[in-house]
């Protein structure tokens, strides 16, 4: 199961790296195209600069080639003098240029806005008018180049938005399916346990009245186990519905779970509550479900220690929350697996479904609005889990 989860994570990383590589390639290729087109456009602007300089050269007699150069150019330009006053312009949008085209009235505000835009993106190119006298030409790249420059970013943004929405939708659907599986499994388990439970209750009543009744000790233990089955049935029946939370003493609740487990696990495992624990710590919990979490953590620790070691609890009540630390002296968890241990199906055992810690996380976070994490772990020395519950209002 670890291999399956690791492979899934690896595939996600590979897919993400592939998507990033394609995006980077697409951006670099588009940048290359934009640079090529921009270079050609700058060449055209430089030809126009040269043409304007020739127009001011008194030694040139034939201006026909100069006019052809200026007329064939398509790049929008504006020429300003030393005082930044507009002296010439070409290739601006004729539909916005004139206030009244028939009368030749030009919209100066449009020209000024275009000049501001040109200054924003490109440095001016000097035009020599006379000795030590220069005008400057500003230019604006054609709309196709502008679109090509920004289109990849817009496209990537839309793709990212689409992927984010798809991920949320898929994740919501997956969680919904998981919830249905959990609820279905829980209800079916409760149903299956209920049948033999009724029979065992009847047998206990019969043994109590029989002349060949077992010892009181056996009856007590049998009664405890039947009571336990009732608790288990109630636990499973609560999954999928909102459990009722009541304020309980956390120290006493954990102590009850420990008392039950001590006689049912290896004698070589010592379970204890630290003397530094707060004996009066309280929190709003569903007692049956919370005890289930404690049992899962203890059983998880017993498995990690191979039936030999120590499990200790430390309870601390803060200003707004109660922290419960559960430490075992087992084989430890690699840091890379701190989050994976709570995934359904994650297990290092040859047998088992890997649902204990996942179910514990759901109980604490979904039903108690709390938190459960791997606080610390060291290979070969043990692991500490931390449960954080809100204090009652």
């Amino acid at each position: 199961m670890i291999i399956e989860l690791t492979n899934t994570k690896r595939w996600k990383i590979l897919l993400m790296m592939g998507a990033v590589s394609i995006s980077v390639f697409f951006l670099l290729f588009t940048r290359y195209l934009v640079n090529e087109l921009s270079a050609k456009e700058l060449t055209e602007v430089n030809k126009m600069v040269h043409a304007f300089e020739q127009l001011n050269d008194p030694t040139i007699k034939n201006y026909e080639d100069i006019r052809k150069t200026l007329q064939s150019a398509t790049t929008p330009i504006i020429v300003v003098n030393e005082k930044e006053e507009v002296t010439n312009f070409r290739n601006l949008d004729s539909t916005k240029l004139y206030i009244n085209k028939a009368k030749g009235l030009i919209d100066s505000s449009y020209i000024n806005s275009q000049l501001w835009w040109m200054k924003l993106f490109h440095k001016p190119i000097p035009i020599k008018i006379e000795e030590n006298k220069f005008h400057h030409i500003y230019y604006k790249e054609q709309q196709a180049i502008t679109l090509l420059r920004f289109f990849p970013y817009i496209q990537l943004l839309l793709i990212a938005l689409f992927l984010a929405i798809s991920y949320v939708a898929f994740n919501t659907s997956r969680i919904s399916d998981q919830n249905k599986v959990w609820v279905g499994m829980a209800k079916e388990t409760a149903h299956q346990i209920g049948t033999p439970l009724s029979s065992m209750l009847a047998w206990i009543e019969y043994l109590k009245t029989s002349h060949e009744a077992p010892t009181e000790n056996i009856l007590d233990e049998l009664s405890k186990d039947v009571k336990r089955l009732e608790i288990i049935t109630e636990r499973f029946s609560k999954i999928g519905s909102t459990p009722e939370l009541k304020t309980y003493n956390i120290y006493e609740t954990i102590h009850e779970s420990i008392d039950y487990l001590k006689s049912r696990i290896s004698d070589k495992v010592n379970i204890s509550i630290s003397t530094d624990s707060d004996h009066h710590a309280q929190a709003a919990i569903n007692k049956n479900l919370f005890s289930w979490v404690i049992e899962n953590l203890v059983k998880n620790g017993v498995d990690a220690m191979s039936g030999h070691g120590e499990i200790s609890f430390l309870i601390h009540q803060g200003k707004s929350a109660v922290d419960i630390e559960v430490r075992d002296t087992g084989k430890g968890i690699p840091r890379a697996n701190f989050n994976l241990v709570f995934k359904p199906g994650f297990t290092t055992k040859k047998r088992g479904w890997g649902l204990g810690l996942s179910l514990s996380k759901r109980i604490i976070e979904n039903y108690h609005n709390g938190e459960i994490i791997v606080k610390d772990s060291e290979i070969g020395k043990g692991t500490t889990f931390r449960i954080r519950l809100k204090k009652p209002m």
Side-chain angles (χ1 to χ4, degrees):
M1 188 60 66
I2 295 178
I3 296 175
E4 290 179 8
L5 291 170
T6 305
N7 287 339
T8 301
K9 187 175 181 180
R10 185 181 294 116
W11 272 111
K12 288 180 180 179
I13 294 173
L14 290 174
L15 289 172
M16 181 62 70
M17 290 176 62
V20 170
S21 300
I22 292 172
S23 300
V24 170
F25 172 78
F26 185 68
L27 286 173
L28 292 176
F29 181 71
T30 306
R31 179 72 63 84
Y32 168 77
L33 291 178
V34 169
N35 289 339
E36 287 293 310
L37 293 173
S38 296
K40 291 181 179 179
E41 191 170 56
L42 183 58
T43 300
E44 183 178 80
V45 173
N46 285 327
K47 288 181 180 179
M48 295 173 73
V49 169
H50 183 64
F52 278 118
E53 288 179 340
Q54 286 183 318
L55 285 175
N56 294 287
D57 188 348
T59 61
I60 295 178
K61 304 295 182 181
N62 185 6
Y63 295 100
E64 188 63 28
D65 292 338
I66 299 174
R67 291 192 182 94
K68 287 180 179 180
T69 299
L70 294 175
Q71 289 174 356
S72 63
T74 58
T75 304
I77 64 161
I78 296 178
V79 181
V80 298
N81 58 21
E82 300 94 328
K83 298 179 181 180
E84 290 292 306
E85 297 171 337
V86 177
T87 60
N88 204 336
F89 54 83
R90 286 182 175 272
N91 304 319
L92 299 180
D93 189 346
S94 59
T95 61
K96 300 177 182 178
L97 181 60
Y98 296 96
I99 298 176
N100 189 324
K101 192 171 184 179
K103 295 181 179 181
L105 297 177
I106 295 174
D107 187 353
S108 59
S109 62
Y110 169 71
I111 295 177
N112 289 332
S113 67
Q114 293 299 298
L115 180 60
W116 176 86
W117 186 262
M118 292 176 182
K119 287 180 178 180
L120 190 64
F121 285 95
H122 299 290
K123 293 181 179 180
I125 301 174
I127 302 173
K128 186 176 181 180
I129 304 300
E130 298 176 2
E131 191 67 31
N132 297 325
K133 183 179 181 182
F134 293 89
H135 286 185
H136 290 86
I137 183 171
Y138 290 91
Y139 70 98
K140 177 184 177 183
E141 63 186 21
Q142 296 181 49
Q143 189 175 9
I145 299 177
T146 303
L147 291 175
L148 191 60
R149 187 186 299 276
F150 292 104
F151 177 73
Y153 299 100
I154 297 173
Q155 188 179 43
L156 289 177
L157 181 62
L158 292 175
I159 291 173
L161 182 62
F162 172 77
L163 290 175
I165 294 174
S166 299
Y167 175 79
V168 171
F170 173 77
N171 200 43
T172 302
S173 175
R174 182 173 58 84
I175 291 174
S176 177
D177 290 341
Q178 286 181 352
N179 287 338
K180 291 177 182 178
V181 172
W182 279 108
V183 173
M185 183 192 72
K187 300 295 184 184
E188 178 62 21
T189 303
H191 173 73
Q192 294 292 335
I193 292 177
T195 302
L197 178 60
S198 300
S199 177
M200 289 182 69
L201 285 170
W203 274 110
I204 288 175
E205 292 303 318
Y206 170 78
L207 289 172
K208 285 182 178 179
T209 58
S210 173
H211 295 293
E212 299 178 359
T215 63
E216 193 69 26
N217 213 21
I218 293 175
L219 284 175
D220 287 342
E221 288 301 319
L222 189 57
S223 296
K224 286 181 183 179
D225 283 333
V226 170
K227 182 65 176 175
R228 200 66 184 176
L229 283 173
E230 289 177 337
I231 293 173
I232 291 171
T233 303
E234 185 180 353
R235 285 173 178 174
F236 276 107
S237 66
K238 290 182 183 297
I239 295 179
S241 59
T242 303
E244 182 182 2
L245 303 183
K246 292 183 180 180
T247 300
Y248 286 96
N249 183 299
I250 298 300
Y251 178 89
E252 293 176 358
T253 302
I254 293 176
H255 208 287
E256 289 176 11
S257 297
I258 290 175
D259 285 344
Y260 175 79
L261 289 168
K262 276 184 175 180
S263 62
R264 287 161 177 79
I265 61 175
S266 172
D267 293 335
K268 296 180 180 179
V269 176
N270 178 37
I271 310 175
S272 63
I273 303 179
S274 171
T275 54
D276 293 333
S277 292
D278 190 334
H279 290 213
H280 305 288
Q282 292 185 331
I285 59 172
N286 181 279
K287 194 172 183 180
N288 285 339
L289 292 180
F290 179 74
S291 298
W292 198 359
V293 173
I294 299 302
E295 290 168 24
N296 280 334
L297 291 176
V298 170
K299 291 175 181 177
N300 189 74
V302 172
D303 290 336
M305 297 183 298
S306 300
H308 184 278
E310 182 178 352
I311 299 173
S312 59
F313 288 79
L314 175 64
I315 305 166
H316 173 71
Q317 182 167 278
K319 291 182 179 180
S320 60
V322 176
D323 286 349
I324 304 110
E325 294 185 4
V326 186
R327 174 171 175 78
D328 64 60
T329 56
K331 58 187 176 183
I333 302 171
R335 184 165 294 275
N337 291 344
F338 276 17
N339 291 324
L340 288 178
V341 295
F342 295 106
K343 299 290 184 182
F346 182 92
T347 179
T348 57
K349 296 179 289 185
K350 293 181 179 180
R351 299 179 64 184
W353 292 96
L355 297 177
L357 289 178
S358 176
L359 185 58
S360 298
K361 185 178 180 68
R362 289 175 61 84
I363 291 172
I364 295 298
E365 296 186 355
N366 293 9
Y367 297 149
H368 291 83
N369 197 26
E371 178 190 55
I372 179 170
I373 62 170
V374 179
K375 180 185 177 184
D376 187 36
S377 187
E378 190 173 350
I379 301 299
K381 292 189 176 181
T383 300
T384 302
F385 287 88
R386 186 189 71 194
I387 300 171
R388 175 164 290 173
L389 300 172
K390 291 184 178 179
K391 288 178 63 178
M393 301 297 289

